[in-house]
Amino acid sequence: VTHVTVMTGARLHFGPLAPSGNRGGKFGGIGMMISAPRYVLSARAAEVDSVVSEESTAVRISQFVCHVRDSMPFGTDAGPCEINVHETIPAHCGFGSGTQLGLAVASILSQLSGEPNVAIETLAQRAGRGMRSAIGMYGFAQGGCLVDGGRSGGPGQLGVLVTRHEFPSEWRIVLASPGASTGLCGLSEQQAFDALPAMS
């Protein structure tokens, strides 16, 4: 494979069911995928790695490329590639942009390296995603409305998909984004989750 195109939806999350995980699965939750906003990325084999995008997205993609390559099996190499970003999901606005971008990059590198049918759980682990909610991970692979049963193991354990349903095509969703603020991410987001009290 020398050319790849990957399209993702955006993830809507209706809240984690058990962020402290004191009983049963940790995190878990209900969410769904929507068709827009979305990522559309194309990639091709090249002489050197490059990303054609605005700077912040290009930096994120370059970081994912390094992380995914370091996590791929020994002897598996996609080689240098050029990644073009045609459409983007706003970052840190509640759409799961990091997970969708990381999985898109992992999928691109897997396909360019000739790996057949890599499981979504493997792509997520390579991209370092799905460590809390698994809604975006399963949504990337299947779309629809999803229920994540949470994860009961230690670090690296992924949530379990309980059920998935198609969203009725005749229903519509209105997204309202007042103001221009963005949410927490990275270390500050992790610290906020760690500070949550146990649930009854």
Side-chain angles (χ1 to χ4, degrees):
V1 177
T2 57
H3 294 81
V4 176
T5 298
V6 174
M7 291 183 290
T8 80
R11 186 266 296 131
L12 299 182
H13 205 297
F14 307 137
L17 297 176
S20 61
N22 58 314
R23 308 181 103 191
K26 188 171 185 179
F27 297 109
I30 302 169
M32 65 178 291
M33 298 299 289
I34 55 176
S35 58
R38 65 181 185 171
Y39 278 117
V40 178
L41 278 64
S42 63
R44 64 178 182 86
E47 298 275 323
V48 295
D49 283 329
S50 64
V51 179
V52 180
S53 178
E54 53 86 21
E55 185 176 0
S56 62
T57 301
V59 168
R60 294 177 87 193
I61 289 174
S62 297
Q63 291 170 339
F64 278 125
V65 166
C66 292
H67 194 285
V68 170
R69 279 199 178 127
D70 287 345
S71 304
M72 292 178 81
F74 181 75
T76 305
D77 185 10
C81 63
E82 175 188 288
I83 298 176
N84 285 267
V85 180
H86 306 283
E87 295 183 42
T88 62
I89 298 173
H92 314 310
C93 292
F95 295 122
S97 64
T99 294
Q100 298 309 303
L101 187 59
L103 291 171
V105 170
S107 178
I108 284 170
L109 294 180
S110 172
Q111 292 180 63
L112 288 177
S113 68
E115 286 186 300
N117 305 318
V118 177
I120 187 61
E121 294 86 354
T122 300
L123 294 178
Q125 289 172 331
R126 289 179 183 177
R129 308 309 294 184
M131 298 300 106
R132 287 188 292 269
S133 169
I135 296 290
M137 177 185 75
Y138 292 116
F140 178 88
Q142 303 179 40
C145 296
L146 307 134
V147 178
D148 169 15
R151 56 183 179 84
S152 55
Q157 181 74 33
L158 299 172
V160 176
L161 180 62
V162 174
T163 189
R164 176 203 175 272
H165 294 282
E166 288 291 336
F167 188 75
S169 61
E170 66 274 17
W171 290 14
R172 294 293 177 261
I173 292 175
V174 176
L175 299 175
S177 301
S181 63
T182 57
L184 299 175
C185 65
L187 181 59
S188 58
E189 182 182 27
Q190 182 60 55
Q191 290 171 337
F193 274 111
D194 292 343
L196 290 174
M199 296 179 71
S200 65

